[in-house]
Amino acid sequence: VEIPKRPADLDQVLAGLTHELAEAHEGLRIDVQVVDDGTLPRFELKAKRIKDDRVVIGGQGEKRNT
């Protein structure tokens, strides 16, 4: 991550971010590191949107013949 104004409790901020990312991604361990400002690549293009029309068994609104 790039942190322009590094807080005094930087280690706690990184630990919290690491924990939140792990919780959001099913326990995946993510190594969070601080880098100098402007060193991470920027993504300038628009995101591509994809619509998934697959039917998922047990999905919302699905009806089964029983």
Side-chain angles (χ1 to χ4, degrees):
V1 294
E2 292 179 6
I3 302 178
K5 295 180 182 179
R6 296 185 183 187
D9 60 344
L10 180 61
D11 290 335
Q12 288 179 338
V13 171
L14 294 178
L17 181 57
T18 300
H19 177 74
E20 288 182 33
L21 287 169
E23 289 290 316
H25 296 284
E26 301 177 357
L28 183 67
R29 279 193 262 177
I30 299 173
D31 182 28
V32 179
Q33 299 176 356
V34 178
V35 297
D36 293 333
D37 292 339
T39 59
L40 293 177
R42 302 288 179 232
F43 186 75
E44 302 293 334
L45 301 175
K46 287 188 173 184
K48 294 181 181 179
R49 301 185 191 275
I50 299 171
K51 184 176 179 184
D52 187 354
D53 290 326
R54 293 180 290 182
V55 175
V56 177
I57 294 176
Q60 185 177 0
E62 181 188 39
K63 295 181 182 178
R64 293 185 184 188
N65 294 332
T66 54

